[in-house]
Amino acid sequence: MAAVKDSGFEALEKLKSTEPPVFLAPSSISEVARAASQYLFTKLKPHNPKSPFDELLVDGFDAEQIWQQIDMQSQPLLSSLRHEVKRFAKSPKEIRKIGDLAVEASHEGDVDEMDMDDDNDVEDDDDELEADESEGEEEEEDGEEEEEDEEEEEEEEENEGIEDKFFKIKDLEDFLEEGEAQEYGTDYKNKKGLSKGKNQNLSDDDDDYDEEDEEDEDEDEDEEDEEFGAFAGDDNEDADNLGKARYEDFFGGKKKETKRTMKDAIEDEEAGDGNQGTEKLSTHEKELLKLQSKIEQMEKANLDPKHWTMQGEVSATKRPKNSALEVDLDFEHNARPPPVITEEVTASLEDMIKSRIIEARFDDVQRAPSLPTKSKRQAKELDDSKSKKGLAEVYEEEYVQKSNPAFAPATFSDELKKEASMLFKKLCLKLDALSHFHFTPKPVIEEMSIQTNVPAIAMEEVAPVAVSDAAMLAPEEIFAGTGKIKDESELTQEERKRRRAKKKRKFKAESANHPVKKARDTNTEIHNTGNE
Amino acid sequence: MAEESTEMDIQSATEPESLPAKPIFKPLKAHEMSDGKVQFRKVSVPPNRYTPLEKAWLDIYTPVYHQMKVDIRMKSRKVELKTRADTPDVSNLQKSADFVHAFMLGFDVTDAISLLRMDELYVESFEIKDVKTLKGEHLSRAIGRLSGKGGKTKFAIENSTKTRIVIADTRIHILGAFSNIKIARDSLCSLIMGSPAGKVYSKLRAVSATLAERF
């Protein structure tokens, strides 16, 4: 333990001696810090019987884990300390005893309630600078420390009810003082209240305040951005806070009167010539000064050139760019402003629309009936192919049409018309067949055409005739007669006679019509008659 | 005695007599009109028309000789025409000459024959440079514009105005009736000047409609 103690103490010393930026850089200082933390931990151990750790484990642990260990130790410590404080509050005499003990023991470096208090204050911080701070505080052991501790304890006693580990009234007050110091003057920085988070030597005593304040005041007077420069030298009487400010604080000692009053009275920055050296001005004089300043302002404004809006007719070149936009110009509008669409307007419109729809009274635009014009003449299409007729034929046709319209050959349009009408007739026929109950078929237009008894395939196909023997003519057309055909050898005598008589009759009929002129081929004749 | 004779003469003169009938003469033939002299026409053949002339010679010869009754022959790169004794009309020779000349200009026989059949047909020729001075590519483009693609613009003008057009390099010949020639000429001139074919078509449509209405 002693070895640890020594090394720990040395570690603390070392930490304290290092510059603050070194802490930020990763360096061997971490080893030292760990040693110091371990030392402190072991110091606190006797006061915390409930903690699970005997010593602070730092080898291979990171900052978060080390901190957790410390935290676990310190939580019950805090509650026990509160108990102690209450006890002291009831019996203040005990404090003295402990305080003396602390003074004696501190030199040895033994853990005391003193250290506990220090550590107590310190352990609220979140970084490893706690060691340094506690170190810093340990140094101020001259006696001021006691006072500080006492005051801190008192403050802690007072504020027990409100405080917890998150909120400390002392911290709040210190913060407020900081703010005020920034606003009113720089003296508050030197106050003792800012022991937290700062590595400065809190070596200021109450005795030194007067001197420092006066020095600061001289400094402050040169600064012109303080409205309440009077507050700079405020702390002659008040060490703690502004709540006990007095008249002298604002309108302080006589040797600084003139400077301060000049600052109060004159609002513009002509305080450069503030060394008039006259006595403090009365109210009347102050008012006069105000009036004078106003008068001067007005005269100055009159002498200056007028604003462009006051100059009468101003063209664009005479005023700054886009300045007309900033000014509220008033001019006549010839157009009616667009109607503001409010809810009532839309409601009325919609009602009208609905009623119109119900009535079915739409104001549709109806096409005006066009006048009956003469029938559209046939738009003669431009034919851009070479004309098949010669020029002579063209004129010939024209002449014929002019002189004798009946004989005029059908023009191209007529042929087209014919074709169109034929197509339409066919279509109508088909539609009639489908739709009429009493359908009348089309009239048969008898056409004469010669059908030769050539095999159909020959007419239709290029293939050789021998492939098919389908004939164009129907069988009845080829041979008309009954099925009973008898060969000549099969005929009976009566039938032979009958045939011969028939033949004779025919021949006679024919010869009566056409007298025989020449000798004809009887074979063909017989053949013909046989076919009839 | 002399006085009596004169009186008698006078008396005979003053007697109302029926005037002799007007003599009716047959119209003079061309032959007789020129006092029996034969009239000639000579039409030179340009070298590019020599072969087509050979091919279409019979088509030319037949109507001229048989219908017009004008002697026609080809001699040393010239077509000669001569009146015969039985040439019916004086103008036949001139018509035949015009017919042959039209063929030489480049018209088809079937088109040129209309000159024989109708009186009022004429041939008008002009050059592109008469309308607008064009050189080089502009000239070629103008000629292209006149004919159109595959000759369709030319045919369109021909069909709508009942004329026939021959475009021979920079020369343009139009065959047809006088008013039709005018319309065709206007269309061709507008094409030379640079108007697009569509514009010319629309004008032609309007014109042809009016032409058709007249008859």
Side-chain angles (χ1 to χ4, degrees), chain A residues 374 377-378 380-387 389-396 398 402, chain B residues 110-111 113-114 117-118 121 152 155-156 159-160 162 164 175 177 180 201 209 213 215:
Chain A
K374 50 187 175 177
R377 21 183 169 121
Q378 288 176 335
K380 194 176 176 187
E381 279 233 358
L382 273 181
D383 184 24
D384 52 357
S385 59
K386 190 178 166 91
S387 74
K389 305 178 224 168
L391 195 65
E393 278 108 33
V394 170
Y395 280 110
E396 182 187 330
E398 204 184 307
K402 216 171 34 162
Chain B
T110 49
D111 299 331
I113 249 191
S114 59
R117 295 176 72 172
M118 280 180 76
L121 299 183
K152 64 177 187 160
F155 293 138
N159 291 331
S160 55
K162 294 200 203 70
R164 289 292 176 265
L175 165 69
N180 295 349
Y201 280 11
E213 263 186 12
F215 307 110

Side-chain angles (χ1 to χ4, degrees), chain A residues 20-88:
Chain A
V22 180
F23 284 108
L24 294 170
S27 59
S28 61
I29 206 76
S30 66
E31 295 290 328
V32 175
R34 281 170 204 250
S37 319
Q38 259 186 323
Y39 168 65
L40 285 170
F41 196 88
T42 46
K43 288 284 180 197
L44 287 171
K45 182 74 185 69
H47 296 274
N48 197 3
K50 290 180 197 169
S51 92
F53 302 108
D54 288 333
E55 62 170 7
L56 187 67
L57 306 165
V58 294
D59 295 328
F61 289 91
D62 66 350
E64 191 60 38
Q65 287 163 328
I66 294 167
W67 169 244
Q68 283 294 323
Q69 291 175 41
I70 292 164
D71 204 29
M72 283 182 72
Q73 193 202 48
S74 61
Q75 290 299 329
L77 257 180
L78 282 171
S79 49
S80 64
L81 279 172
R82 283 200 200 99
H83 274 295
E84 294 280 317
V85 164
K86 277 184 190 171
R87 198 158 58 83
F88 290 137

Side-chain angles (χ1 to χ4, degrees), chain B residues 187-207:
Chain B
S187 312
L188 288 167
C189 286
S190 60
L191 279 169
I192 292 166
M193 296 294 276
S195 76
K199 213 175 202 178
V200 170
Y201 280 11
S202 53
K203 275 193 186 165
L204 281 174
R205 258 187 230 112
V207 158

Side-chain angles (χ1 to χ4, degrees), chain B residues 20 39 63 71 82 113 116 122 128 130 134 166 182 188 191:
Chain B
Q39 291 187 351
D71 275 345
K82 188 173 82 161
I113 249 191
L116 292 179
Y122 303 96
I128 289 176
D130 296 342
L134 295 167
V166 165
K182 186 171 176 299
L188 288 167
L191 279 169

